[in-house]
Amino acid sequence: MRIDILTLFPEMFAGPFDASIIGRARAAGVLDIALHNPRDYTTDKHHIVDDYAYGGGPGMVMKPDPIFACVDAVQPMAEPSGKVVLLTPQGRLLNHRVVEELAAEARLILICGHYEGVDERVRESLVDDEISVGDYVLSGGEPAAMVLVDAVARHQPGVLGSELSLEEESHAQGLLEYPQYTRPPEFRGMTIPDVLLSGHHAEIAKWRRRQSVLRTARRRPDLLASAELTADERRMVEQELAGE
Ligand code: 9D3
């Protein structure tokens, strides 16, 4: 997968994109990330990328011309042409489903906004999709782009150690993860559930499933609505939540 990122602050991406999952995906050649600065596509002496809002009001607006010029220059740099995605608080909320959808694209071109926003004509005639990573205010689209890239990178074949770990992942099933433990079996007086030491794999699977369902019910009841639960599990959830 190829991802082009348009940002006024390309240096913000150096650390995160060289480590961990993304670093490995890039090293393996599964992920090709290129950073571009719209400021390099300005034609005025002072390389101005923002300006006052027509109609007044606080804050600066990103000018359309450097962004259009940058996308026009970047599209022919690789094939196929990329879906242009604007990171913005007004976008579709990123979730597992949206990540899968974007991960299926061969190429993405991400635009990170800054200042109070981007000129509306960028949205109207350059952008194909708009994504938000949550209902809180960031100072720019850069951290959001990092989140999006990390999440889609995990879906590229060969990026995860085993394809299974993705399959098993809680969000694929619509459930939170079960509690996990590793050695030592007793730490500062705290032990681990006996079933995990039993070696009884069917019982362990049952325990984990139950823990996932209960934890989801307690912490994220909103997720349960679309989770695939058996009738027995639905009853267990009712009972547990009633008894608290
Ligand atoms: C004046 C109103 N502000 C909205 C609450 C304007 C504004 C705030 C923050 C405009 C842009 C930004 C910068 N944020 C992003 O570009 C952004 C973002 C976010 O702030 N939250 C969650 N997802 C994203 S994706 C891009």
Side-chain angles (χ1 to χ4, degrees):
M1 183 180 202
R2 159 99 177 190
I3 305 181
D4 294 279
I5 302 175
L6 275 61
T7 170
L8 296 176
F9 304 96
E11 66 279 3
M12 283 179 71
F13 292 84
F17 280 4
D18 290 332
S20 190
I21 302 264
I22 300 180
R24 244 196 304 139
R26 293 179 75 189
V30 174
L31 189 62
D32 177 14
I33 298 177
L35 295 160
H36 313 276
N37 193 338
R39 197 179 293 279
D40 297 336
Y41 295 85
T42 51
T43 53
D44 63 306
K45 189 165 114 199
H46 298 290
H47 304 288
I48 290 172
V49 292
D50 61 330
D51 206 339
Y52 300 100
Y54 273 117
M60 304 296 276
V61 176
M62 280 177 79
K63 290 168 64 62
D65 31 319
I67 298 176
F68 272 84
C70 190
V71 171
D72 284 350
V74 163
Q75 282 286 23
M77 289 180 187
E79 293 217 292
S81 65
K83 176 171 187 165
V84 179
V85 178
L86 177 67
L87 282 312
T88 164
Q90 301 162 50
R92 298 193 284 156
L93 262 187
L94 192 64
N95 60 28
H96 182 72
R97 218 181 39 248
V98 174
V99 168
E100 281 185 328
E101 183 189 320
L102 295 174
E105 297 285 333
R107 186 177 179 203
L108 294 176
I109 299 183
L110 307 182
I111 303 177
C112 304
H114 228 92
Y115 312 113
E116 284 306 302
V118 304
D119 186 285
E120 190 65 19
R121 290 163 290 188
V122 169
R123 280 203 165 75
E124 282 170 356
S125 69
L126 191 62
V127 163
D128 300 310
D129 199 357
E130 301 180 33
I131 299 292
S132 161
V133 298
D135 295 333
Y136 42 82
V137 181
L138 298 170
S139 349
E142 285 80 9
M146 291 173 203
V147 166
L148 195 159
V149 169
D150 187 278
V152 302
R154 300 169 54 78
H155 288 257
Q156 302 310 306
V159 167
L160 294 188
S162 90
E163 301 300 309
L164 245 185
S165 38
L166 188 65
E167 187 94 59
E168 273 183 4
E169 240 180 342
S170 51
H171 277 282
Q173 295 220 335
L175 291 174
L176 299 184
E177 215 145 287
Y178 49 77
Q180 306 212 69
Y181 300 88
T182 185
R183 290 186 290 182
E186 184 177 340
F187 174 70
R188 297 193 176 186
M190 296 176 282
T191 55
I192 71 177
D194 284 336
V195 64
L196 298 180
L197 297 169
S198 68
H200 199 313
H201 297 296
E203 286 301 316
I204 291 172
K206 261 167 64 185
W207 181 85
R208 286 179 167 168
R209 173 75 187 181
R210 185 182 152 83
Q211 293 295 318
S212 278
V213 170
L214 290 177
R215 184 166 273 193
T216 308
R218 292 187 185 116
R219 298 189 185 190
R220 293 292 308 276
D222 58 303
L223 291 180
L224 274 191
S226 41
E228 286 184 31
L229 297 194
T230 66
D232 266 3
E233 286 171 335
R234 296 264 173 214
R235 272 193 290 278
M236 172 182 79
V237 165
E238 300 283 312
Q239 222 159 43
E240 281 288 321
L241 295 187
E244 273 177 345

